[in-house]
Amino acid sequence: MTITLLFIIFIACPLASTGAKWTYNGPDGEHDWSSKYPFCGGAFQSPIDFQTQLLRYDPTLPPIQVQNYNLSTNEQLTLGNNGHSVLLSLPSNMYISSLPHRYSAAQLHFHWGSSSLLTGSEHTVNGNRFAGEMHVVHFNSDKYPNISMAVDKHDGLAVLGVFIEIGEFNPAFDKFFKYINGIKYRDQKIQVPAFNVRALLPARLDEYYRYDGSLTTPPCYPSVLWTVFRKPVTISRKQFLALATALYASYAQDSAIVPLHGNYRKLQLTDSRVVLVSFKDGLHSIFSVASPFQRKQVIQKLLVGDLADLADEGLYQLLPKLSPQPGVDKKWKKTKNQGQWSQATQKHQWSNNKVPSNTGYSSSIGKKKPTPWYMGALGTDKGMCFVSLEENVIHQLERYHAKGLMVEALREVVFPDLNLRSYLNCRSDLDLQTIRQLIKERSRDEAVELEQSLTKAMLRQIRRQIKRHRNPNMETTTGHSQATFPKDYNSALTYHRPQRVEWED
Ligand SMILES: *[C@@H]1O[C@H](CO)[C@@H](O)[C@H](O)[C@H]1NC(C)=O
Ligand SMILES: *[C@@H]1O[C@H](CO)[C@@H](O)[C@H](O)[C@H]1NC(C)=O
């Protein structure tokens, strides 16, 4: 009997455990994070490069609105050095009001370069790295009582990212930069007077990148809804150098002094994700996204609809990247324009289009089957908890004496669920791996036919790309610019990775 980890049911979800030592360089550096923190080697990781071909214009993204950011100078904030960054605690009455849930502030911190290498932002734009990046971390306070309960939930966190470049002196940053000599060593903390935190953000809050990602430090849970503002803020060279040279990653009592700089994580795989943008000026030939309603219909078709139909006409609805003619994308756009959608209409449409919860199970007599894995993504409130997932996977692997497979097994469990949720929110393309999981319960012939069509379409795509690669001047039929080639090529190839980790019982 074949066992797949997808049938694990999550009940309890303990607090995130505090973990082992990690650094940016040396033996405990990034390459080793996943040995102690398996999610760091897993799906939907951050940061990523905001390449033009990943961007999708979404006209429904509202300007970011923050509340209670103008703190009273009577209030005190804790400024600390945690050995990885400088961190300023924030009161939870500060919150973001323009997201589907209320996200309350917890802390802000920085990533930066060094005095010799001035670039150290985590996200990059078409490969360009800024001098630094600020992250204002918020947790979903509608659903979770505090940040430790939220950090390992798929909808737990929302982070505002701000690029920092070197330019004019920034008086707002000096409100706490001027105290950093009091926290030179790891674990040192001081109290500083509060100030207007809004002044740390760029002037415009309506232009941003939005995508589904993770913490950029261990334990790297893929729990973050990212908003990175398009326009950077500036700090002076003097301010930057003060930040880059003042702090140590080592404790005051350590004999070896380790400077704290260059504390940014390398770029991560895109994993079928796209980046929604709230702006379109300055961008060429940008794609718009299909509505959540259309996406839900696609999933419904996969679960209960005519798969032969999908194998034929609907193939490019499933994997629009493989679309052979530019016309297909146009058709998509046209349907979308028939109705602008909003959170409200989305909810309405969802409730009118229920996917039967007994899909594929109604015919089984007597024997009770577990809830299908995708119901968490299709239902509204069933969440994913990464800590209990990890515990379940460890438990399963121990049973099969396969502990070395932790990173792969966890990715295997988490990816289709994250991909499906993200797809339904228009922040990912549907991945072949997810399609395969969704049609697993379908009648064999139909599923095989669809699978064959998908494979064929992908092979065609790869062949075309190889041809184009060999002969860059050849006229293309896809309408994509040459520049998009390497990325599409890679993502098409990734479909040939092993799709499931299975154990024989
Ligand atoms: C922030 O609040 C202070 C009073 O606490 C007020 O004087 C100041 O004008 C406010 N700043 C902004 C930008 O609203
Ligand atoms: C967070 O909330 C949980 C559940 O209410 C509680 O057990 C825990 O102590 C809280 N943690 C912190 C750091 O406040």
Side-chain angles (χ1 to χ4, degrees):
M1 180 187 162
T2 303
I3 292 183
T4 87
L5 293 174
L6 286 168
F7 288 107
I8 294 165
I9 296 163
F10 334 120
I11 310 152
C13 191
L15 283 175
S17 55
T18 50
K21 192 180 157 204
W22 59 270
T23 59
Y24 284 95
N25 294 300
D28 299 313
E30 281 182 71
H31 65 278
D32 188 55
W33 288 1
S34 64
S35 71
K36 291 162 195 157
Y37 304 94
F39 282 98
C40 296
F44 277 54
Q45 290 296 291
S46 294
I48 58 170
D49 182 31
F50 298 139
Q51 312 166 41
T52 305
Q53 72 259 28
L54 287 183
L55 307 185
R56 305 281 185 275
Y57 172 56
D58 181 351
T60 68
L61 286 177
I64 295 295
Q65 284 174 20
V66 295
Q67 308 297 330
N68 304 331
Y69 261 47
N70 187 7
L71 301 174
S72 152
T73 45
N74 299 327
E75 219 172 319
Q76 298 277 299
L77 303 176
T78 304
L79 184 69
N81 171 346
N82 64 8
H84 310 295
S85 187
V86 47
L87 192 136
L88 186 69
S89 68
L90 296 172
S92 60
N93 66 324
M94 287 172 57
Y95 66 95
I96 307 172
S97 56
S98 51
L99 291 172
H101 292 283
R102 176 183 290 206
Y103 284 85
S104 297
Q107 46 104 335
L108 63 83
H109 64 264
F110 296 84
H111 302 268
W112 60 87
S114 63
S115 52
S116 55
L117 187 67
L118 300 184
T119 53
S121 69
E122 297 214 291
H123 294 93
T124 56
V125 178
N126 285 317
N128 295 311
R129 202 177 286 285
F130 291 84
E133 191 170 325
M134 176 176 75
H135 292 157
V136 192
V137 182
H138 300 73
F139 68 95
N140 183 340
S141 50
D142 280 348
K143 291 178 80 170
Y144 311 107
N146 55 43
I147 189 161
S148 12
M149 295 298 290
V151 70
D152 71 323
K153 309 301 188 299
H154 81 277
D155 56 355
L157 304 182
V159 179
L160 301 181
V162 178
F163 290 128
I164 299 170
E165 67 179 10
I166 294 174
E168 277 192 33
F169 171 79
N170 191 322
F173 279 74
D174 244 39
K175 291 275 186 346
F176 60 97
F177 271 13
K178 66 182 177 194
Y179 299 106
I180 57 174
N181 283 321
I183 53 157
K184 287 185 101 52
Y185 295 97
R186 183 170 187 164
D187 283 2
Q188 290 184 334
K189 286 184 180 126
I190 51 171
Q191 297 296 112
V192 302
F195 56 94
N196 184 3
V197 180
R198 169 66 183 87
L200 299 177
L201 304 179
R204 293 187 65 162
L205 301 186
D206 60 334
E207 293 196 333
Y208 56 85
Y209 303 93
R210 161 72 47 78
Y211 79 103
D212 289 321
S214 74
L215 303 173
T216 63
T217 57
C220 307
Y221 296 131
S223 55
V224 179
L225 180 63
W226 277 98
T227 303
V228 179
F229 294 108
R230 183 189 199 186
K231 293 274 155 59
V233 299
T234 65
I235 60 176
S236 68
R237 196 178 183 85
K238 209 174 151 194
Q239 285 180 302
F240 180 85
L241 290 176
L243 176 66
T245 57
L247 304 170
Y248 300 106
S250 45
Y251 297 98
Q253 66 271 20
D254 286 353
S255 48
I257 284 182
V258 182
L260 174 48
H261 60 211
N263 55 347
Y264 60 92
R265 188 185 192 193
K266 67 172 195 269
L267 294 169
Q268 302 294 306
L269 294 175
T270 312
D271 275 339
S272 292
R273 287 173 291 180
V274 299
V275 177
L276 301 181
V277 288
S278 64
F279 53 89
K280 67 175 170 187
D281 58 298
L283 299 168
H284 309 288
S285 67
I286 195 154
F287 293 100
S288 293
V289 294
S291 75
F293 177 61
Q294 289 170 323
R295 284 160 185 255
K296 182 149 187 244
Q297 287 183 320
V298 168
I299 300 302
Q300 275 180 308
K301 268 191 208 162
L302 283 170
L303 290 172
V304 295
D306 184 354
L307 288 184
D309 207 32
L310 273 179
D312 181 22
E313 289 274 284
L315 204 56
Y316 303 112
Q317 287 190 357
L318 289 179
L319 301 170
K321 248 190 282 184
L322 302 184
S323 158
Q325 313 118 12
V328 176
D329 271 304
K330 271 197 211 114
K331 200 166 78 195
W332 238 164
K333 263 186 221 164
K334 205 159 101 206
T335 345
K336 181 206 173 344
N337 290 341
Q338 283 167 1
Q340 292 276 320
W341 44 275
S342 64
Q343 292 293 335
T345 55
Q346 184 188 339
K347 254 184 204 148
H348 177 69
Q349 284 164 333
W350 273 76
S351 60
N352 286 342
N353 278 279
K354 289 216 171 65
V355 170
S357 57
N358 59 349
T359 304
Y361 293 94
S362 47
S363 57
S364 63
I365 308 152
K367 216 171 168 190
K368 224 181 159 188
K369 296 241 185 167
T371 314
W373 65 274
Y374 50 78
M375 283 315 294
L378 294 174
T380 45
D381 41 41
K382 206 162 163 227
M384 289 173 89
C385 170
F386 300 121
V387 165
S388 43
L389 269 167
E390 188 177 340
E391 283 173 357
N392 277 309
V393 172
I394 288 174
H395 185 73
Q396 298 265 346
L397 291 180
E398 274 168 355
R399 240 180 98 197
Y400 295 99
H401 309 287
K403 265 186 100 173
L405 292 173
M406 186 65 197
V407 171
E408 294 76 11
L410 204 49
R411 186 189 153 88
E412 190 63 33
V413 171
V414 170
F415 182 81
D417 203 330
L418 285 176
N419 178 242
L420 178 56
R421 288 172 196 269
S422 190
Y423 171 76
L424 290 168
N425 283 309
C426 307
R427 296 192 287 263
S428 281
D429 292 329
L430 199 54
D431 194 275
L432 188 64
Q433 194 181 337
T434 312
I435 296 175
R436 287 186 169 142
Q437 288 292 349
L438 286 168
I439 62 177
K440 242 172 132 179
E441 305 290 326
R442 301 296 305 271
S443 115
R444 230 185 113 65
D445 294 348
E446 277 183 67
V448 165
E449 191 185 338
L450 178 58
E451 173 104 33
Q452 281 171 348
S453 297
L454 287 166
T455 309
K456 261 191 230 152
M458 273 182 312
L459 286 176
R460 267 202 305 276
Q461 171 84 348
I462 290 170
R463 244 181 252 133
R464 232 182 1 249
Q465 281 165 341
I466 290 173
K467 242 192 234 164
R468 229 189 301 161
H469 186 51
R470 289 198 181 131
N471 182 6
N473 296 325
M474 188 180 92
E475 253 200 60
T476 63
T477 51
T478 59
H480 293 283
S481 73
Q482 286 298 324
T484 67
F485 156 63
K487 196 237 142 213
D488 283 356
Y489 180 61
N490 284 336
S491 58
L493 285 183
T494 59
Y495 292 130
H496 294 272
R497 280 184 315 221
Q499 295 301 324
R500 270 196 302 278
V501 185
E502 289 182 346
W503 287 269
E504 295 302 310
D505 199 2

